């Protein structure tokens, strides 16, 4: 299959999500070695899950398919430029590349505005609209210290 065909699959999933009232018009596929190993569509409203974005679902399915949390050697095709959450998941999963259809600016024109979150993340904690307050940092640090000394830990 070609890049165009993979993107067509992602776009088809965006129509399916919308037409079946699963969520907004978003679809995504993860591809490894020319094969789709993960599919996802937006199901935020049908699952009452704000993390049920197309990219997140496709990444989860792909990881299960290959039995690893790392998707190096894989590419993501998504009907729209990933939001900050999905973009972070793409980085964490070690995807090689992302292809997208609609831009985040186009999405904003249709009331899907991720730019607000991009802007918020760039601000210092004290200036964000969602308060982020450090609490019990010393106590929390002990988990990291134990992790550092854990002989059988799986690094990432």
């Amino acid at each position: 299959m070609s890049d165009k065909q993979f993107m067509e699959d992602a776009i088809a999933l965006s129509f399916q999500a919308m037409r079946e009232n699963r969520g907004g018009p978003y679809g995504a596929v993860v591809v490894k070695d020319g094969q789709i190993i993960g599919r996802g569509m937006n199901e935020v409203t049908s699952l009452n899950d704000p993390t049920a974005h197309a990219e997140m679902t496709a990444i989860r399915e792909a990881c299960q398919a290959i039995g690893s949390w790392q998707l190096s050697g894989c590419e993501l095709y998504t009907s729209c430029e990933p939001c900050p959450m999905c973009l972070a998941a793409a980085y964490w999963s070690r995807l090689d590349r992302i292809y997208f259809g609609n831009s985040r600016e186009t999405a904003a024109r249709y009331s899907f505005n991720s730019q607000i979150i991009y802007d918020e993340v760039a601000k210092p904690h004290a200036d964000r609209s969602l308060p982020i307050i450090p609490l019990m940092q010393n106590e929390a640090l002990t988990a990291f210290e134990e992790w550092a000394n854990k002989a059988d830990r799986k690094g990432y």
Side-chain angles (χ1 to χ4, degrees):
M1 291 179 67
S2 68
D3 291 337
K4 182 177 182 276
Q5 290 169 310
F6 293 131
M7 184 58 77
E8 286 171 347
D9 282 356
I11 292 168
L13 286 165
S14 74
F15 278 101
Q16 183 180 351
M18 175 186 55
R19 290 174 179 164
E20 293 178 2
N21 293 318
R22 292 187 182 193
Y26 294 90
V29 297
V30 174
V31 174
K32 183 175 180 67
D33 299 326
Q35 299 294 316
I36 295 174
I37 61 168
R39 287 179 171 79
M41 67 179 73
N42 185 288
E43 297 183 281
V44 169
T45 56
S46 60
L47 296 177
N48 295 317
D49 179 354
T51 69
H53 288 201
E55 299 92 339
M56 299 293 282
T57 303
I59 288 169
R60 287 179 187 130
E61 189 174 291
C63 289
Q64 292 300 308
I66 65 169
S68 175
W69 61 270
Q70 292 188 10
L71 295 176
S72 54
C74 298
E75 299 171 327
L76 175 68
Y77 295 78
T78 180
S79 64
C80 188
E81 185 175 356
C83 74
M85 174 182 67
C86 295
L87 183 60
Y91 275 98
W92 281 116
S93 67
R94 313 284 201 277
L95 284 163
D96 287 1
R97 186 173 292 106
I98 299 171
Y99 297 94
F100 67 92
N102 291 311
S103 70
R104 65 188 191 203
E105 294 82 11
T106 299
R109 289 198 310 265
Y110 292 87
S111 300
F112 299 107
N113 192 356
S114 294
Q115 190 61 47
I116 295 165
I117 301 170
Y118 281 104
D119 294 343
E120 282 286 306
V121 169
K123 294 178 184 177
H125 291 167
D127 295 339
R128 295 181 185 174
S129 62
L130 175 64
I132 299 178
I133 304 158
L135 182 64
M136 297 182 66
Q137 291 175 302
N138 289 334
E139 292 81 356
L141 181 60
T142 61
F144 280 150
E145 291 169 346
E146 185 173 324
W147 170 260
N149 295 315
K150 186 172 171 31
D152 62 345
R153 75 175 182 253
K154 292 183 181 180
Y156 56 96

